[in-house]
């Protein structure tokens, strides 16, 4: 039975504290960790219940010593998350991706490319330009219609 345990250090790794798990008794898998330019850490994790799969993202603003209660982040199997660390309009936007297999309840067909922007600001033109150079036009059309929250 997998759970989301964590540890943190206050002395550069000389010693570590392991407080336990983020949500005791809750199955967690496919961990992804990212940080923003403000120094906050974000932990994206898959969970499942009765054949339904979804993700939650948890935030720590104290170097990982404590974590908030998390937010529902849609998601599904093989999710990934990244934070825009550039100085562009998308700075600190969080982006999440997951496969269409084993996805969150109600997500199939709702997120055509299963890419969401975890911020309220629109996808920057520079990101779309980079994607146009890197990925198919059909993918870009779907990206432009993706849900933001």
């Amino acid at each position: 039975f997998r759970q989301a345990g964590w540890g943190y250090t206050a002395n550069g790794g000389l010693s570590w504290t392991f407080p336990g798990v983020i949500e005791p008794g809750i199955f967690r898998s496919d961990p992804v960790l990212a940080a923003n330019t403000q120094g906050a850490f974000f932990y994206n994790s898959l969970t499942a219940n009765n054949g339904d799969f979804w993700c939650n993202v948890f935030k720590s603003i104290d170097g990982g010593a404590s974590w908030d209660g998390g937010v529902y982040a849609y998601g599904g199997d093989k999710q990934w998350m990244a934070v825009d660390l550039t100085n562009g309009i998308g700075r600190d936007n969080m982006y999440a991706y997951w496969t269409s297999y084993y996805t969150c309840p109600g997500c199939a067909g709702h997120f055509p490319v299963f890419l969401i922007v975890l911020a309220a600001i629109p996808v920057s033109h520079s990101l779309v330009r980079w994607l146009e150079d890197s990925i198919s036009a059909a993918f870009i059309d779907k990206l432009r219609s993706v849900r933001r929250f």
Side-chain angles (χ1 to χ4, degrees):
F1 184 74
R2 293 177 273 185
Q3 298 182 77
W6 87 95
Y8 67 94
T9 181
N11 58 13
L14 293 175
S15 62
W16 289 84
T17 300
F18 298 98
V21 296
I22 290 178
E23 288 185 302
I26 302 296
F27 171 83
R28 292 269 164 217
S29 186
D30 299 0
V32 179
L33 188 66
N36 68 12
T37 62
Q38 308 301 310
F41 287 99
F42 299 90
Y43 171 71
N44 186 324
S45 178
L46 175 72
T47 193
N49 187 16
N50 296 322
D52 289 331
F53 294 80
W54 68 91
C55 295
N56 294 100
V57 175
F58 302 86
K59 181 179 180 180
S60 174
I61 57 172
D62 58 8
S66 64
W67 294 86
D68 70 10
V71 296
Y72 177 73
Y74 298 91
D77 198 23
K78 308 301 182 234
Q79 91 285 0
W80 197 253
M81 175 181 67
V83 176
D84 182 347
L85 302 177
T86 69
N87 288 322
I89 191 172
R91 183 177 177 90
D92 286 333
N93 274 3
M94 296 174 62
Y95 302 92
Y97 175 86
W98 61 92
T99 65
S100 59
Y101 305 103
Y102 307 108
T103 189
C104 54
C107 288
H110 186 67
F111 298 104
V113 293
F114 299 100
L115 173 73
I116 56 173
V117 180
L118 302 176
I121 7 187
V123 175
S124 71
H125 292 294
S126 60
L127 174 65
V128 171
R129 176 72 57 215
W130 175 82
L131 286 169
E132 286 173 342
D133 293 341
S134 306
I135 305 173
S136 75
F139 182 88
I140 298 305
D141 288 340
K142 291 179 181 178
L143 174 62
R144 287 188 174 119
S145 66
V146 77
R147 179 176 176 173
R148 293 172 178 83
F149 66 99

